[in-house]
Amino acid sequence: QVQLQESGPGLVKPSQTLSLTCTVSGGSITANYYYWTWIRRAPGKGLEWMGSIGYSGSTRYSPSLKSRTSISRDTSRNQFSLHLNSVTPEDAGEYYCARESLGAVTSTFEHWGQGTQVTVSS
């Protein structure tokens, strides 16, 4: 029973860094062959894959976000975190963490957190 839960401030100011943490229970973030992913949805937009950190610690990022995005992990706490720098109001929305399995053509996302709302405002 894998469960994921997002946590972090729901309000950040423009130009600051958004930091969110995903706590995983029921499964290890180091287990083969899963990847631990951040996905977001801005108002009026679809789901956007932001990036992931793999079971070995390797990271992948969306090309559109990689310059501002960093994903790290704390294996002792079975957590991984998102850091999004220089946020703007366009970064507001719902943020999810999920477990990702890579496929030959596309990925699948078997487990999701409930999501957390992020507002960008002064």
Side-chain angles (χ1 to χ4, degrees):
Q1 186 179 332
V2 177
Q3 293 183 321
L4 299 85
Q5 182 172 341
E6 304 88 349
S7 62
L11 176 66
V12 294
K13 296 180 178 180
S15 80
Q16 295 190 339
T17 297
L18 168 65
S19 295
L20 299 174
T21 296
C22 183
T23 300
V24 179
S25 61
S28 174
I29 62 173
T30 65
N32 299 354
Y33 295 95
Y34 298 117
Y35 296 79
W36 306 92
T37 299
W38 288 98
I39 301 166
R40 70 178 182 179
R41 181 169 58 199
K45 300 180 181 179
L47 294 170
E48 180 182 20
W49 182 90
M50 301 183 70
S52 66
I53 186 164
Y55 57 93
S56 65
S58 61
T59 53
R60 299 181 298 129
Y61 302 106
S62 169
S64 64
L65 294 170
K66 62 182 179 181
S67 66
R68 299 193 292 132
T69 305
S70 178
I71 298 174
S72 60
R73 68 179 183 173
D74 184 341
T75 58
S76 67
R77 296 184 177 185
N78 214 38
Q79 296 176 328
F80 64 104
S81 297
L82 169 72
H83 307 279
L84 182 64
N85 301 325
S86 303
V87 301
T88 74
E90 299 298 319
D91 294 312
E94 193 82 3
Y95 284 73
Y96 302 89
C97 56
R99 191 181 76 174
E100 179 178 359
S101 297
L102 298 183
V105 178
T106 188
S107 295
T108 58
F109 302 89
E110 304 93 345
H111 300 281
W112 295 65
Q114 289 292 311
T116 186
Q117 183 69 38
V118 174
T119 299
V120 180
S121 176
S122 299

